[in-house]
Amino acid sequence: MRHGKKNNHLGRTAAHRSAMLSNMAASLILHKRMVTTVAKAKALRKYAEPLLTKGKNDTTHSRRTVFSYLQSKEAVKELFDNVAGKIANRPGGYTRILKTGNRLGDNADMCIIELVDYNEDMLTTTGTAAAAKPKTRRRSSGKKSTDAQGSTDASASTTEEATGAAPAETPAAE
């Protein structure tokens, strides 16, 4: 049983794993997308997303903290100058994993991990739909009751149309 074992060791020692994740995070920030295995991409997402969140707050302390993880001046500069501006209003979920199939040599599950705000194709297709409808986090309780009334009225009219009968009127008692 693997209770409480949260991180994937990826078949590496702790030093090798931290160095690999540091290099992958720096490459992701510099190149905005990369091709890797699904297991490494999921581990990288847990490693990189807190760094991207820290990149929103441009202070000397946060720059030094991010540098201690990335060990790359170019990646830190790119994160705080360019990437932070694009992700400033996003409340998390900065990366996207797109599965691409299996690798020919060893049949490993491969994927593309990318920064969400830098995929121009997906931004243009979903940007028009997102602009029309504001994003909400929770459904208000008032919507359910109005939807329920609307669906009962709609179901009554569809049954009348299906039978071809006019709405039934009650005869007045004379």
Side-chain angles (χ1 to χ4, degrees), residues 2-172:
R2 54 180 314 271
H3 297 302
K5 297 183 179 177
K6 196 169 187 179
N7 60 343
N8 190 348
H9 295 295
L10 300 172
R12 288 165 170 80
T13 61
H16 185 186
R17 187 171 53 253
S18 67
M20 181 192 67
L21 290 173
S22 172
N23 289 331
M24 288 177 71
S27 295
L28 180 66
I29 291 168
L30 289 174
H31 302 295
K32 312 304 187 266
R33 77 170 49 178
M34 59 190 304
V35 178
T36 184
T37 62
V38 174
K40 285 182 190 173
K42 288 180 179 178
L44 176 61
R45 181 171 52 189
K46 287 177 66 174
Y47 187 86
E49 293 220 358
L51 298 178
L52 293 169
T53 302
K54 202 166 271 291
K56 290 180 179 183
N57 185 15
D58 190 6
T59 61
T60 305
H61 176 68
S62 59
R63 280 184 180 261
R64 287 177 177 169
T65 304
V66 170
F67 179 76
S68 71
Y69 283 94
L70 293 180
Q71 296 295 315
S72 169
K73 288 182 183 179
E74 295 82 18
V76 171
K77 183 171 175 43
E78 178 73 15
L79 171 64
F80 282 93
D81 292 347
N82 300 331
V83 177
K86 280 213 171 191
I87 64 172
N89 58 356
R90 183 176 290 276
Y94 310 112
T95 57
R96 177 186 296 127
I97 295 177
L98 303 168
K99 295 183 180 178
T100 57
N102 296 339
R103 188 162 50 195
L104 288 177
D106 59 355
N107 208 30
D109 290 332
M110 297 298 288
C111 68
I112 297 172
I113 183 168
E114 64 184 8
L115 295 178
V116 172
D117 293 317
Y118 282 91
N119 189 339
E120 301 301 328
D121 296 333
M122 288 195 172
L123 286 177
T124 56
T125 57
T126 59
T128 57
K133 188 170 132 182
K135 290 186 179 181
T136 58
R137 288 186 174 255
R138 291 197 173 97
R139 185 175 186 153
S140 64
S141 59
K143 276 190 169 183
K144 282 187 177 179
S145 62
T146 58
D147 290 344
Q149 287 177 345
S151 63
T152 56
D153 296 340
S155 63
S157 64
T158 55
T159 55
E160 292 166 1
E161 292 171 1
T163 58
E169 296 178 13
T170 57

